[in-house]
Structures are given as structure tokens and as C-alpha cells.
Amino acid sequence: YPGYMKRYFREHGIELNITPEDEEILKNTVDFVSFSYYMSSTETADESKKVKGAGNILGGVLNPYLEASEWGWQIDPKGLRIILNTFWDRYQKPLFIVENGLGAIDELVKGEDGQLTVNDDYRIKYLNDHLVQVAEAIADGVDLMGYTTWGCIDLVSASTAELKKRYGFIYVDRNDDGSGTLNRYKKKSFNWYKEVIATNGASLTEK
């Protein structure tokens, strides 16, 4: 039971018949809680404000205060801090963010060094802002054991079965119609994320 329920029981004179056998069973829970985070969802009882969001995964209504990806997923970095705190308060188990990233249409261009790349500043901003909020959650007292992005290399998007919805730090020359060389090119976000890892987040920038 969460702490607030134990308080309720205590203040209302409720005594539970919890046996030593029960307590032994309750010890055998998961070691950590893992989850994916891409967006938040909003609901309303006001019929006049029920403008459906364009995202293809979650229901809900459009949040007028948030930007959205090209696929209609509303971008909410602070929501990640909130859910980290919610899960920590609820379960008191180490947390692991196993997926977080931005699906976008990337354009392969020639960089300043003459090499092909993608200037994906939008992906850098998305990940930077979410990781800043992760740091805030850790400062709040959340026990976070890990974070992994989705994903390190472009692949077929599971939600839409498209290759043009790209998530990776590495561009793969492959298109929805099957054309392409399968050559791979580092995006701008590749070296940015490499620096984030090398500095343990010290290179992140506040808004």
C-alpha cells in the first residue's frame, strides 16, 4: 500500500490482517520499472474544446499550449518529469526510460565538411529538453537507473510502418518504396548525443 493509504488506515482505525506469509510474498516484486515516453495526452469534459489530436497512438484532445511532431505527437518535456515523479511516488522502485525520441522527416544534405548528413536541430532540441527534465526529476529525488533513446539508427517505425518517420542518430538511405543504397550517414545529432554521454549531461542546455 502507498504511504497515503497507510495513513488513511491509521487515522481511521483500520487494521489489516497482514500475515508474515503475506509480507514474504510482497517482497517478491519487480526490481525496477521501465517505460517509454514520447508525448502527453489531454482530456476535457468541455465539448466545445474537444479538438482531437492528430497523433496516431494515443487518444485525447489537442493541448493548445504544446507543439507537435509531424505525426501529431504533442511534445511535452515537462510531462516526462511529472510521470517520473508519479511512478517513483507510486512504486518506490528504480525507474528506467527505455524509449524516448522524435520521429521526423529528415533531409540528407552535404555538411560543411563535404560529407552527407542531416541537420536535425529539431531532434537535438527534443532530446535536450527531455533530458533537462530528467535531470530535474533526479534532483526531485527520483531514482532513475537508465535512459535510452529510440533509436540509435533509422529503421521502420513500428507505429506507422514507415521508413520516412526517422528517429535515429544515423541516417539509413532507404525509402518506403524499398529504394536506396542502405548507406549510413551520421546526423548532426550523432556527435551532439556523443557529447551528452561524454559529459554525463553537463553539455545539455536549459531553455
Side-chain angles (χ1 to χ4, degrees):
Y1 291 98
Y4 58 83
M5 241 5 256
K6 291 178 181 177
R7 175 186 175 184
Y8 180 88
F9 295 151
R10 188 169 59 250
E11 292 181 351
H12 289 79
I14 299 171
E15 293 186 14
L16 301 180
N17 181 25
I18 299 176
T19 67
E21 289 79 10
D22 292 331
E23 292 178 345
E24 185 62 31
I25 291 171
L26 290 171
K27 288 180 183 177
N28 301 312
T29 61
V30 296
D31 296 321
F32 64 92
V33 177
S34 62
F35 67 99
S36 303
Y37 182 88
Y38 292 95
M39 71 202 104
S40 62
S41 182
T42 308
E43 294 293 348
T44 180
D46 187 341
E47 291 294 333
S48 67
K49 294 181 180 178
K50 285 195 173 182
V51 179
K52 191 176 184 302
N56 63 305
I57 292 292
L58 299 178
V61 297
L62 192 66
N63 186 333
Y65 302 102
L66 296 177
E67 296 178 1
S69 74
E70 292 167 298
W71 273 263
W73 294 16
Q74 295 210 276
I75 300 169
D76 187 6
K78 289 184 179 179
L80 180 52
R81 178 184 178 186
I82 291 169
I83 200 65
L84 281 164
N85 273 279
T86 300
F87 285 166
W88 173 246
D89 179 64
R90 181 181 299 168
Y91 301 116
Q92 294 290 298
K93 291 287 184 180
L95 304 177
F96 198 137
I97 304 166
V98 294
E99 288 185 33
N100 175 236
L102 177 68
I105 299 174
D106 293 333
E107 180 184 0
L108 200 61
V109 297
K110 191 169 286 189
E112 294 179 358
D113 59 359
Q115 301 297 313
L116 290 175
T117 187
V118 174
N119 293 320
D120 56 342
D121 292 303
Y122 41 87
R123 181 169 291 108
I124 291 172
K125 181 180 186 325
Y126 177 99
L127 292 171
N128 177 87
D129 294 351
H130 281 74
L131 286 169
V132 164
Q133 293 302 316
V134 166
E136 288 295 320
I138 293 171
D140 291 335
V142 171
D143 183 358
L144 183 68
M145 65 182 293
Y147 169 92
T148 54
T149 66
W150 186 266
C152 61
I153 190 168
D154 288 344
L155 43 66
V156 177
S157 171
S159 62
T160 63
E162 295 172 297
L163 275 160
K164 70 178 180 180
K165 187 180 185 185
R166 299 177 182 274
Y167 284 89
F169 300 115
I170 299 169
Y171 184 96
V172 179
D173 182 21
R174 191 71 164 183
N175 304 304
D176 288 339
D177 63 4
S179 63
T181 63
L182 291 179
N183 289 342
R184 302 173 184 191
Y185 308 95
K186 295 177 184 177
K187 302 177 188 180
K188 185 177 180 179
S189 59
F190 181 96
N191 287 321
W192 172 84
Y193 194 55
K194 181 180 178 182
E195 181 70 9
V196 170
I197 294 170
T199 62
N200 197 30
S203 62
L204 296 169
T205 56
E206 298 279 353
K207 283 186 178 180

